[in-house]
Amino acid sequence: MWSDMASKLVSKLFRSSLLTQAAPPPSSKLLLLQGRCGVLAGTAARLSSSGGPPERISRYPVPYRKNLPYDIVELMEEVEAKGGFLPNVFKVLSHRPAEFRAFFAYYNELMNKDTGNMTKADRELIVVATSIHNRCLYCVVSHSALHRIYSKKPTVADQVIVNYKNAELSPRELAMLDFAMAVCRCDTITEEHFRSLEEVGFDREDAWDIAAIAAFFAMSNRLAHLTDMRPNLEFYNMGRVPRDKHKEKAEDQH
């Protein structure tokens, strides 16, 4: 229910942003990355960057929040409150607010949908495999972290980064990544590609999802190259060791 509500709010925000730059503030429950915020909470909140001067995260100016539209600031604050930190992609893309809204609206449709035969871990694995092909540090690091959390497998993403063909993947995952990489490389897509997916349980709508994720992140990877976007340090360790819930509860009580 929450996923449906969030998707409707995202769609409403995106439509209103096309009509006017002075749209009324959206509901405080607007979360384009609602699934991510939940899994980040309690993990990243206890990880922080080392001391020193502020890190450089983009070669383009990052706006001060006071100069950003209300709806974007509200989203940033919600994500930061839920996850314990604000992923740098929010800061970097806020340089262009209208494109920020369009980017996260489409991101939400691709990565947070609950239809079809793909899990959230599947979607994150596609991002990791295609982003390493495109040499995108930000997406490889951040989406490897999300894959570790969703899959509960702390080593698979690292294996995929080196060579997905040799990674500990199921036949289903391997076929999925083969198709995603064909799209990523701009190979000629044939009926044989679709048959390979169907043999492991995917249908043609799943093929569209796989291709759309590969295509969307090809764009995202190139924006990260352009801006020299840097991943938050918090992402590197996320999901690598099991959470000690008893220790976290004791820390919260103190």
Side-chain angles (χ1 to χ4, degrees):
M1 181 178 70
W2 166 244
S3 179
D4 293 340
M5 181 191 305
S7 294
K8 290 176 182 177
L9 286 167
V10 171
S11 299
K12 182 178 179 181
L13 168 64
F14 182 56
R15 289 196 301 270
S16 66
S17 70
L18 296 178
L19 296 174
T20 175
Q21 292 297 321
S27 166
S28 62
K29 291 186 177 180
L30 172 64
L31 284 175
L32 301 180
L33 302 182
Q34 71 277 7
R36 275 79 187 148
C37 296
V39 298
L40 293 178
T43 300
R46 290 167 175 78
L47 299 172
S48 60
S49 302
S50 58
E55 59 180 330
R56 177 178 177 271
I57 63 171
S58 173
R59 60 166 49 98
Y60 281 79
V62 175
Y64 289 105
R65 290 193 190 185
K66 65 180 181 180
N67 297 328
L68 287 171
Y70 178 87
D71 60 293
I72 291 178
V73 174
E74 184 182 38
L75 173 59
M76 287 179 168
E77 290 176 347
E78 292 251 21
V79 170
E80 190 168 18
K82 293 286 186 180
F85 72 101
L86 182 66
N88 287 339
V89 63
F90 288 87
K91 304 173 189 177
V92 174
L93 296 188
S94 69
H95 180 71
R96 291 192 169 187
E99 292 176 34
F100 176 107
R101 295 185 182 100
F103 179 96
F104 285 112
Y106 194 26
Y107 180 105
N108 190 58
E109 287 299 314
L110 292 177
M111 302 302 287
N112 289 327
K113 66 190 301 184
D114 55 5
T115 58
N117 298 307
M118 293 172 61
T119 66
K120 287 187 175 181
D122 289 337
R123 296 172 193 276
E124 298 300 338
L125 201 61
I126 293 168
V127 181
V128 174
T130 57
S131 294
I132 191 60
H133 180 81
N134 292 326
R135 301 179 182 180
C136 178
L137 175 66
Y138 186 91
C139 289
V140 168
V141 171
S142 61
H143 291 276
S144 291
L146 291 168
H147 179 266
R148 289 192 294 271
I149 291 172
Y150 286 132
S151 69
K152 304 294 190 280
K153 297 178 180 178
T155 62
V156 170
D158 290 343
Q159 296 171 24
V160 168
I161 290 169
V162 176
N163 183 353
Y164 81 91
K165 293 285 191 180
N166 290 332
E168 296 176 292
L169 300 176
S170 67
R172 176 183 174 280
E173 290 170 320
L174 187 59
M176 178 185 73
L177 293 188
D178 280 340
F179 187 80
M181 292 304 298
V183 174
C184 179
R185 294 188 302 261
C186 294
D187 294 352
T188 299
I189 303 300
T190 67
E191 287 301 309
E192 182 59 32
H193 288 98
F194 288 96
R195 281 194 290 271
S196 296
L197 288 178
E198 290 163 359
E199 287 172 359
V200 293
F202 291 113
D203 60 27
R204 298 232 164 186
E205 293 303 314
D206 299 320
W208 184 302
D209 283 343
I210 295 168
I213 292 169
F216 177 82
F217 279 92
M219 181 270 290
S220 179
N221 296 158
R222 284 154 178 79
L223 280 177
H225 286 314
L226 168 72
T227 59
D228 194 25
M229 192 185 305
R230 297 290 166 164
N232 304 67
L233 295 181
E234 289 90 342
F235 280 125
Y236 286 91
N237 288 329
M238 282 172 52
R240 293 195 180 277
V241 294
R243 290 171 53 187
D244 187 337
K245 295 183 179 180
H246 295 294
K247 182 178 179 181
E248 290 175 4
K249 184 176 180 180
E251 290 176 352
D252 290 340
Q253 290 174 345
H254 287 84

